[in-house]
Amino acid sequence: MISAPTPENLRRAAQIINDGGLVGFPTETVYGLGADGFNTSAVEKIYRAKQRPSTNPLILHLSSIEQLESVALLQSGSALGRRLTRIQHLFPGPLTVILPKSSAVPPIVTAGQDSVGIRIPDHPVAQALIEASGTAIAAPSANVSAYVSPTTAEHVEEGFGDAIEMILDGGPCSLGLESTILSLVGSEPKILRYGAVSAETLSDALGVTVSTLIKQVEDSKPIRSPGQFKEHYSPSTPMRLRDEVQPSSYPSKVGLISFYDNSTVSDASRYTTIRNLSDSGDLDEVAKHLYRAVRELDGLGLELIVIDTCEERGIGRAVMDRLRKATARFS
Ligand code: TXA
Ligand code: MG
């Protein structure tokens, strides 16, 4: 059930978390499907509801940096401690950091790994929920495994219906793409997933060039970060990058997702429907509206969705990363 984030509903949501149930909640990136991160049977419910492989770890959502010590092993004065200090101005925000895990975190959260992903979301409803529940909230994106992430409360309801007790409605997510994942467990910091916090921002903050470890690791085991898989987050309708398909080979029902004003589409009559994510090619707007448009077009019975591409700079890098993953199984 979708509920407005009133003080009363936030209290009820926190009670559901404390009782071992599931709550859908908004963050500035995408909606999460949350459970008490210290309650193994509650976390099991997330895996079951999402049909998520048990080898794919979850991230823990905290309300403040002070809560870090309850979930991660941190030694003051260590290289890790210094790195965290250098990036702490990026919290709260669209950044997940992989840290050595404390023994208090149950193995199910980290899929048995000795590291844990943590994030402090910059969203008043997420903050209020975490604070009111007084725990760390384990939450993946609130989509059925491998489908497109949700950016509205309705998307969460479409995926799970009544299987989760409450969905807090915070309106559409302001960023619309999952957080950047930064690993601080190796000898050098590495980006495991692109997001709104760019490699340049992280390199500046850390004082070293942060490289990316986003390779296609389909067959390697154990899975370090399934966010690195090539195929992920795809719609059911075949979706291709617009510049990789010859219009002469289009089937009859094709939808276009454009990054510009519709009037700039010269071959508009070829398309059954056109959604534009931005009037000006603004990549923040493109990111914000992307998943909603993909979900909408996926529901129209089209034979093909084609989508614009953009320059891989700033958030454009995260957009293109998601588009490659979403189109991989159709190309
Ligand atoms: O923006 C976000 O990060 C959203 C919101 C709800 O916070 N959450 C999210 O969670 O996208 P999820 O589970 O859909 O993606 C988290 C990714 C997964 O690819 C997972 O494999 C990776 O983080 N991950 C989690 N713990 C990890 C760990 N200890 N080491 C490496 N990767 C990890
Ligand atoms: Mg996800």
Side-chain angles (χ1 to χ4, degrees):
M1 195 190 53
I2 296 180
S3 305
T6 60
E8 170 58 19
N9 285 338
L10 279 163
R11 266 194 300 277
R12 283 179 49 219
Q15 192 61 52
I16 292 170
I17 297 283
N18 293 147
D19 290 343
L22 302 182
V23 173
F25 66 97
T27 81
E28 77 277 34
T29 58
V30 299
Y31 274 69
L33 179 60
D36 181 352
F38 294 107
N39 180 337
T40 296
S41 64
V43 175
E44 262 168 15
K45 290 183 189 168
I46 296 179
Y47 282 92
R48 228 176 299 133
K50 269 190 71 107
Q51 298 159 40
R52 183 175 175 108
S54 59
T55 48
N56 191 352
L58 305 178
I59 61 186
L60 288 178
H61 294 69
L62 314 179
S63 60
S64 72
I65 211 146
E66 286 71 43
Q67 236 186 320
L68 260 185
E69 283 172 22
S70 65
V71 293
L73 279 185
L74 303 169
Q75 283 167 340
S76 57
S78 64
L80 175 62
R82 283 194 296 278
R83 282 175 177 158
L84 264 181
T85 306
R86 296 186 79 140
I87 57 166
Q88 74 179 22
H89 62 284
L90 299 171
F91 298 124
L95 177 66
T96 295
V97 183
I98 309 293
L99 297 169
K101 147 192 185 311
S102 110
S103 58
V105 177
I108 187 168
V109 171
T110 63
Q113 298 193 44
D114 51 12
S115 63
V116 63
I118 68 96
R119 171 157 127 74
I120 305 175
D122 189 12
H123 193 291
V125 176
Q127 288 271 344
L129 176 65
I130 301 164
E131 259 164 43
S133 61
T135 187
I137 296 190
S141 51
N143 51 285
V144 174
S145 213
Y147 196 59
V148 184
S149 287
T151 54
T152 66
E154 288 74 22
H155 292 164
V156 182
E157 190 168 56
E158 278 160 28
F160 298 102
D162 293 333
I164 51 182
E165 279 130 282
M166 191 191 259
I167 302 164
L168 288 167
D169 190 354
C173 298
S174 59
L175 298 176
L177 289 184
E178 305 84 349
S179 60
T180 303
I181 301 184
L182 173 71
S183 172
L184 290 183
V185 291
S187 53
E188 294 304 324
K190 288 222 159 42
I191 290 177
L192 305 184
R193 180 172 72 187
Y194 296 120
V197 177
S198 68
E200 294 73 23
T201 298
L202 291 170
S203 299
D204 284 351
L206 288 163
V208 291
T209 304
V210 180
S211 59
T212 57
L213 197 74
I214 302 186
K215 45 182 196 223
Q216 331 266 272
V217 287
E218 275 104 314
D219 297 324
S220 71
K221 292 239 161 83
I223 297 174
R224 293 293 299 184
S225 185
Q228 301 173 330
F229 275 108
K230 190 172 159 205
E231 292 177 18
H232 213 56
Y233 327 114
S234 58
S236 314
T237 311
M239 183 160 94
R240 306 282 309 272
L241 302 179
R242 190 181 180 190
D243 56 17
E244 288 183 355
V245 198
Q246 289 294 334
S248 57
S249 68
Y250 280 176
S252 58
K253 284 189 283 178
V254 184
L256 169 66
I257 300 177
S258 139
F259 293 181
Y260 298 90
D261 180 348
N262 287 0
S263 66
T264 64
V265 180
S266 57
D267 53 350
S269 63
R270 286 181 184 277
Y271 300 101
T272 308
T273 184
I274 302 176
R275 288 300 141 92
N276 72 312
L277 304 185
S278 162
D279 283 341
S280 58
D282 178 291
L283 293 182
D284 291 327
E285 279 178 14
V286 166
K288 177 174 176 173
H289 300 133
L290 175 66
Y291 289 156
R292 181 185 216 158
V294 171
R295 281 172 170 261
E296 279 173 12
L297 264 60
D298 201 21
L300 297 183
L302 299 165
E303 291 159 285
L304 179 68
I305 300 168
V306 291
I307 183 159
D308 276 347
T309 55
C310 62
E311 202 184 332
E312 303 203 32
R313 207 161 32 83
I315 190 73
R317 214 185 229 187
V319 169
M320 285 310 300
D321 167 64
R322 303 307 192 275
L323 292 188
R324 290 220 176 77
K325 287 170 175 162
T327 55
R329 73 188 174 102
F330 305 113
S331 35

